[in-house]
Amino acid sequence: MSTPYPFTAVVGQDDLRLALLLNAVSPQVGGVLVRGEKGTAKSTAVRALAALMPETEVVPGCRFSCDPAAPDPSCPDGPHESRPGARRPTALVELPVGASEDRLVGALDIERALAEGVKAFEPGLLAGAHRGILYVDEVNLLNDHLVDLLLDAAAMGASYVEREGVSVRHAARFLLVGTMNPEEGELRPQLLDRFGLTVEVKASREPEQRVEVVRRRLAYDDAPEEFAARWAGEEAAVRQRILAARELLPSVRLSEGALLQIAATCGAFEVDGMRADIVMARTATALAAWAGRTDVLAEDVRQAALLALPHRRRRNPFDAPGLDEDKLDETLERFGGQNGDGDEAGNDDGDGDGDGPGPGGGPGGQPEPDDGPPGDGDVAARPEADEAGKPQAGPGGGAGERAPARASEPFRTKVLSVPGIGEGAAGRRSRARTDRGRTTGARRPRGALTTLHLAATVRAAAPHQRVRGRSGPGLVVRRDDLRQAVREGHESNLVLFVVDASGSMAARQRMSAVKGAVLSLLLDAYQRRDKVGLVTFRGAAAEVVLPPTSSVDAAAARLESLPTGGRTPLAAGLLRAHDVLRVERLRDPARRPLVVVVTDGRATGGPQPVALAGRAARLLAAEGTASVVVDCEAGPVRLGLAGQLAGELDGTAVTLDELRADSIAGLVRDVQGAGTRRAA
């Protein structure tokens, strides 16, 4: 085993180290989510913590790490005899992003269970993590069904494996640590709330600190054991401090005043549920124990709020995590020293003063008034930019370019889906054959059997019972009789937005509505676990503003700063979308794309722009790409160009109003109908 990097040798990252140490002192805090850019020692610190943790006492030979003082009565390896325990290092179990369900929870031998009535169980990663650390790198990329299993185990402290009525249960209490890069996508709110604490990490910009990071890393890479030996004293001191804090923890007193501050803080920041209050209380208590005190102070409550609340107050994926520290200090000061009689003080603070980022701010909230420079509103309010090619200087400095318009308030959209049945990654958009969902049939297993179709298995085995010499009530089952259940659920897709940012779309009111519609579709994509990409076209060319990614908030940020103006190279936009899809098919062939073209249908610039746009659209249609055209044409006279484009794409055209969930019925049927016509 390689020598781990010492925990005390990590340079900077004070919040990260403190959050990990608090969980080492009090595992009831609930784990840590580490958010930050790549190359910031996230994984290094987590692995170093495992080596720093005190040893764990377990029942010898138990695969489920039972505590000798209180063994699990339902342990599959039990019952355990009373005998001395064995000490071992704290387990660090890493959950790969691409792990299977059987790898996570364990596998039950269905053949032996049916034929012999024996529960032959192979433990999974949850069993290995019991009383240790479960580490998930890139936790935001974890498949939804694995997230569900993690949620169940974290909530109940146990893992259940069910296979057609045959079940195994074992304890699974662990410290959950996840790391993620927000640029690659956000977490589901349910999993986000399960992490007790969260920290944001980023690389230092100070040259001296960066030099020290490089110096220590090079020394470790050259001689790991020698480097670790130089830090052995500091490591031992921190380990002893963890043990001392654990012993002191039961004696720490959480006063009524501190509890009032905790409750007032959670109320002021409008966090959902009561988990935040409980986590703050446990974190403040652990902070006091770590400091060697038996009383929780206001400074402990403040630090607990900074660690426990930022990820719980986001109202949508486009809200940046964080707390208004001025508002936090004001709340703590107002309720400091009170013992439960703080109603009057708590009601006059004017939480709506606008100091903190409320649920209406940002791209996902109520649109803010236009605060552009004087005169900008007059220029942008012109019904159409000059499509005759006359340059018009805009605030962006380019010919015909307009300052970015703000997005209007997002709304709930109708479901857009890809026709047919796919086999992509699990999600919530289009129909697909998945490991979970309703059973639609049976087949012979390809590899290990994961979900038994009991009726089909019995039907396959029944005709051979006499030949196999069956003499008792049991069914003689062989490997060839087993049948895998075929299930249908939903998959995630690649939603590629192709947005017209030309002069014909530059009227500020119209572009604001267009951005609001795209933002609404992005929010829908986040909820359905899709990948998203953004292509824009204006002037003389098209641009991939955002390559396909799982980070919808990155797409929202690019959309918000999108300038407009110039001609309408529609063909260039469609061809660029074709190139993006071609590359993505090579990277992820199972993920089916859905192209959403947001335009008024006009095509200008270059020779025969309309004919070129038609050929580009037919190229996408010929490859079976599902498409929806969001018609942004405005005014009393409508040319119907977006509808013609949808026909060339063999897709569906909808207006901005029809995109709303409460404005149109049967949009999914229309999209699927287009796919049926294409197949015919």
Side-chain angles (χ1 to χ4, degrees):
M1 182 178 177
S2 60
T3 303
Y5 192 90
F7 186 85
T8 52
V10 175
V11 178
Q13 309 297 10
D14 295 337
D15 287 343
L16 169 59
R17 292 189 294 166
L18 177 61
L20 292 172
L21 288 170
L22 291 177
N23 275 273
V25 171
S26 176
Q28 289 78 20
V29 166
V32 186
L33 174 64
V34 187
R35 298 165 45 95
E37 57 196 24
K38 52 187 176 294
T40 49
K42 299 189 297 292
S43 300
T44 298
V46 174
R47 295 187 178 102
L49 175 69
L52 186 68
M53 295 273 282
E55 292 185 332
T56 304
E57 191 169 9
V58 299
V59 172
C62 177
R63 298 174 297 168
F64 301 87
S65 306
C66 281
D67 185 353
D72 181 11
S74 60
C75 175
D77 284 354
H80 297 298
E81 298 179 358
S82 178
R83 54 175 176 164
R87 302 188 69 83
R88 71 171 192 190
T90 297
L92 172 65
V93 175
E94 299 190 33
L95 173 61
V97 170
S100 65
E101 180 178 335
D102 285 349
R103 183 74 184 98
L104 177 62
V105 302
L108 191 64
D109 191 329
I110 301 297
E111 186 174 359
R112 291 189 63 190
L114 287 176
E116 305 174 27
V118 176
K119 292 183 180 180
F121 181 68
E122 183 65 29
L125 297 177
L126 290 179
H130 180 47
R131 303 178 66 210
I133 301 173
L134 180 62
Y135 172 47
V136 189
D137 194 13
E138 306 294 351
V139 64
N140 50 323
L141 303 182
L142 200 63
N143 285 333
D144 275 3
H145 70 285
L146 297 183
V147 170
D148 293 334
L149 293 170
L150 274 180
L151 290 175
D152 291 342
M156 298 184 295
S159 175
Y160 292 85
V161 182
E162 300 281 350
R163 292 291 187 273
E164 299 297 339
V166 181
S167 63
V168 173
R169 176 206 172 277
H170 65 82
R173 293 183 295 276
F174 46 81
L175 168 59
L176 181 60
V177 181
T179 58
M180 60 174 283
N181 184 346
E183 294 179 357
E184 297 174 343
E186 286 292 345
L187 278 175
R188 287 172 53 189
Q190 295 94 329
L191 183 59
L192 197 62
D193 190 50
R194 291 295 183 184
F195 286 97
L197 310 179
T198 185
V199 292
E200 297 277 342
V201 296
K202 59 182 179 179
S204 172
R205 300 296 184 257
E206 296 295 330
E208 294 81 4
Q209 194 171 76
R210 296 176 73 94
V211 166
E212 186 61 23
V213 171
V214 174
R215 181 183 293 117
R216 292 187 186 182
R217 187 70 209 191
L218 292 177
Y220 171 77
D221 290 341
D222 290 341
E225 294 182 359
E226 181 179 331
F227 182 82
R230 292 204 300 268
W231 291 89
E234 287 84 349
E235 293 283 285
V238 173
R239 188 178 294 109
Q240 288 301 316
R241 187 175 176 184
I242 292 174
L243 289 171
R246 285 182 175 180
E247 293 178 0
L248 183 62
L249 186 64
S251 303
V252 175
R253 188 178 70 91
L254 187 64
S255 66
E256 288 297 317
L259 276 174
L260 180 62
Q261 285 184 316
I262 290 171
T265 301
C266 293
F269 285 101
E270 300 179 351
V271 295
D272 296 330
M274 295 299 299
R275 183 174 281 116
D277 303 64
I278 297 170
V279 170
M280 272 191 66
R282 288 172 173 166
T283 304
T285 304
L287 280 163
W290 178 248
R293 291 184 271 101
T294 56
D295 288 311
V296 173
L297 305 181
E299 63 193 62
D300 300 323
V301 176
R302 186 182 193 279
Q303 184 64 57
L306 293 174
L307 293 173
L309 296 188
H311 61 302
R312 290 188 165 90
R313 63 175 309 275
R314 301 183 71 187
R315 289 297 179 265
N316 65 59
F318 310 133
D319 291 340
L323 289 182
D324 184 335
E325 295 195 29
D326 291 338
K327 183 176 180 179
L328 173 61
D329 291 335
E330 179 186 347
T331 303
L332 293 176
E333 182 179 357
R334 177 162 299 158
F335 289 90
Q338 299 184 25
N339 290 311
D341 189 18
D343 290 343
E344 183 177 351
N347 287 333
D348 63 357
D349 62 341
D351 287 340
D353 59 4
D355 290 341
Q366 185 70 24
E368 301 175 16
D370 189 355
D371 58 356
D376 177 66
D378 297 336
V379 175
R382 295 171 184 171
E384 301 290 344
D386 190 350
E387 285 284 300
K390 294 182 181 179
Q392 298 196 19
E401 183 173 303
R402 301 286 183 267
R406 296 183 183 276
S408 63
E409 185 176 2
F411 51 85
R412 188 169 64 90
T413 65
K414 198 67 180 177
V415 179
L416 306 177
S417 65
V418 179
I421 300 178
E423 295 184 350
R428 295 183 178 85
R429 183 170 297 278
S430 304
R431 294 172 59 198
R433 296 183 181 91
T434 61
D435 293 334
R436 293 177 169 235
R438 63 185 183 91
T439 301
T440 59
R443 60 171 172 79
R444 292 181 182 272
R446 302 167 188 167
L449 178 69
T450 56
T451 306
L452 178 73
H453 194 296
L454 183 58
T457 300
V458 171
R459 285 197 301 268
H464 309 290
Q465 297 306 295
R466 182 175 297 178
V467 176
R468 294 173 183 173
R470 172 185 169 186
S471 58
L475 191 67
V476 181
V477 179
R478 295 182 180 173
R479 175 68 185 174
D480 291 341
D481 301 327
L482 299 179
R483 295 295 182 268
Q484 175 83 26
V486 177
R487 293 182 170 178
E488 182 179 307
H490 289 85
E491 65 178 359
S492 62
N493 297 109
L494 166 60
V495 182
L496 182 61
F497 295 93
V498 183
V499 180
D500 184 349
S502 65
S504 67
M505 303 282 288
R508 181 167 295 275
Q509 185 175 4
R510 188 196 308 183
M511 199 60 200
S512 176
V514 167
K515 285 188 175 182
V518 177
L519 197 65
S520 303
L521 291 167
L522 283 171
L523 182 58
D524 181 70
Y526 163 77
Q527 293 168 342
R528 299 184 187 281
R529 312 299 290 168
D530 293 316
K531 290 181 69 175
V532 296
L534 181 60
V535 174
T536 64
F537 57 94
R538 68 186 186 96
E543 177 186 4
V544 181
V545 177
L546 183 71
T549 176
S550 296
S551 179
V552 295
D553 53 345
R558 305 290 173 87
L559 178 72
E560 189 70 15
S561 60
L562 179 66
T564 58
R567 294 184 179 272
T568 311
L570 177 57
L574 297 176
L575 290 174
R576 183 56 62 93
H578 177 268
D579 292 341
V580 171
L581 295 181
R582 177 175 52 82
V583 174
E584 284 302 306
R585 285 191 182 99
L586 297 175
R587 292 176 176 171
D588 191 357
R591 189 183 295 270
R592 298 187 294 162
L594 174 64
V595 175
V596 179
V597 185
V598 185
T599 181
D600 58 8
R602 297 190 181 189
T604 61
Q608 299 182 322
V610 177
L612 286 175
R615 285 201 290 270
R618 290 191 293 273
L619 178 62
L620 285 169
E623 295 185 348
T625 303
S627 304
V628 175
V629 178
V630 180
D631 184 358
C632 303
E633 190 175 20
V637 179
R638 296 177 179 268
L639 303 178
L641 299 176
Q644 296 175 22
L645 175 63
E648 298 282 4
L649 287 166
D650 200 7
T652 301
V654 296
T655 65
L656 288 173
D657 290 337
E658 292 171 339
L659 191 61
R660 294 179 178 270
D662 54 358
S663 298
I664 181 172
L667 178 57
V668 177
R669 183 179 63 251
D670 292 342
V671 176
Q672 292 176 341
T676 304
R677 293 194 302 273
R678 183 165 53 241

